Amino acid sequence: MTRTPLSRASSLLRRVARLPAPLRRETLLGMPLVVRDSVVRESPDYDDAWLLACSMRARVIFDVGSNMGQAALLELASPGVTDLLLVEPNAEALAIAAENIVRNRLSERVRFVCAFVSDRAGDRVRLWTVGTGAAGSMYPGHAQSAAKAGLSMDVPTITLDRLEVTYGLFPDFVKVDVEGAEALVLAGGRGCARRRQTRFLVEMHSNPELPMVENAARVLRWCDELGYFAWYLARGTRLTGPELLANRGRCHLLLQPSDWPYPEWLAGIPQGASLETATRIPDA
């Protein structure tokens, strides 16, 4: 479905007015779905095929920053996934993710947590966001539309390690999309990382308060501390210093234990590849 300027304007007005988007019939990887508008993308994002490929090789997934469940539907496309934990601080966005999953009878493998994943549990964070917007952030400079309108909410924090204990789930794959708070998420998952059984797909972001080079440096320090390597997915190369990302506003890293080789099944998937590309790449 092609979105016209009028439909995009209507979508923005709905978000500002906190009205649900209309329902659409969509098909994703051969699955017929009924979902809210904008949940199934017209064309794949940079990392959709990478996300799908990683999900196809996972059993327990933590989706940190799930928003309205765009990634969750890809994660659930893999029959090997037994448990999916969606964590999202924006209750309105998470409610839509839950609705989409329940409406399509996919909920038996899914749990939902409305919280901001950080380095400490039990704190509060100010989240700047417009409605269910995917660009909600703890940094007002990243969520400029919300900051200009003074739209924010006070949300509770939790950590990856606390989620593991609470739900008795130990992820082999964690997807992180948190609009600048990437290093905080990782800092709260040291226990998870020390088991050396988990792969992280991290969408990195830059903003005025936290430039990309500093954000990347924080992630690399975490990797050094815990014996992980960071791989720059756009090139399929190991990231040894933050300077390579200095001019990027957004990019994607794969974090793995240092003794894990770069996956051959990812090497054949370029940035922005079709979802079908990920389904055709066999394990080595």
Side-chain angles (χ1 to χ4, degrees):
M1 180 189 68
T2 301
R3 293 174 61 82
T4 65
L6 180 59
S7 68
R8 287 192 292 269
S10 175
S11 177
L12 177 60
L13 288 173
R14 283 179 177 274
R15 288 201 304 272
V16 172
R18 300 178 182 267
L19 297 174
L23 290 168
R24 304 285 187 193
R25 293 189 179 276
E26 304 280 3
T27 300
L28 182 67
L29 294 168
M31 296 188 303
L33 299 169
V34 177
V35 296
R36 292 292 173 182
D37 189 28
S38 300
V39 170
V40 173
R41 297 186 176 99
E42 298 174 42
S43 56
D45 200 357
Y46 288 168
D47 61 329
D48 282 350
W50 296 327
L51 172 68
L52 177 59
C54 291
S55 300
M56 291 170 61
R57 291 154 178 89
R59 291 181 57 80
V60 178
I61 300 176
F62 285 7
D63 183 332
V64 180
S66 61
N67 193 245
M68 295 187 296
Q70 294 93 334
L73 294 175
L74 291 177
E75 292 153 354
L76 290 169
S78 173
V81 173
T82 61
D83 295 276
L84 172 61
L85 188 67
L86 300 188
V87 196
E88 167 61 45
N90 186 329
E92 294 181 34
L94 187 61
I96 292 175
E99 179 198 16
N100 289 324
I101 287 169
V102 171
R103 188 180 292 279
N104 291 284
R105 294 174 173 82
L106 297 169
S107 60
E108 68 275 9
R109 294 184 282 164
V110 188
R111 305 184 197 193
F112 307 91
V113 179
C114 190
F116 184 98
V117 181
S118 188
D119 59 338
R120 293 179 58 181
D123 287 345
R124 309 289 296 188
V125 167
R126 178 66 55 181
L127 180 73
W128 298 89
T129 187
V130 178
T132 60
S137 176
M138 66 181 290
Y139 295 106
H142 188 87
Q144 294 183 11
S145 296
K148 288 179 180 178
L151 297 175
S152 66
M153 60 184 74
D154 191 45
V155 295
T157 66
I158 199 163
T159 67
L160 287 177
D161 290 343
R162 177 68 62 84
L163 289 168
E164 285 191 341
V165 172
T166 299
Y167 293 96
L169 294 173
F170 304 97
D172 44 15
F173 177 48
V174 177
K175 165 253 173 184
V176 180
D177 184 1
V178 290
E179 310 296 326
E182 296 80 34
L184 291 176
V185 172
L186 295 172
R190 287 187 173 91
C192 173
R194 288 191 178 105
R195 291 200 322 276
R196 304 182 66 77
Q197 297 175 14
T198 304
R199 172 179 287 127
F200 297 79
L201 176 61
V202 182
E203 180 167 303
M204 300 289 294
H205 292 270
S206 177
N207 58 66
E209 296 95 331
L210 183 63
M212 180 65 78
V213 69
E214 175 56 28
N215 197 8
R218 294 181 183 184
V219 171
L220 288 174
R221 286 194 291 270
W222 179 90
C223 289
D224 290 342
E225 174 190 345
L226 293 160
Y228 266 60
F229 282 169
W231 300 87
Y232 180 30
L233 283 170
R235 299 187 182 182
T237 57
R238 184 183 162 203
L239 186 69
T240 57
E243 298 78 16
L244 181 63
L245 307 183
N247 296 320
R248 296 303 308 269
R250 179 174 75 116
C251 62
H252 299 85
L253 300 181
L254 183 74
L255 311 183
Q256 298 185 143
S258 56
D259 55 347
W260 290 16
Y262 186 75
E264 291 188 18
W265 41 266
L266 275 181
I269 304 176
Q271 178 173 283
S274 69
L275 298 178
E276 290 71 22
T277 302
T279 66
R280 293 194 296 264
I281 302 291
D283 289 328

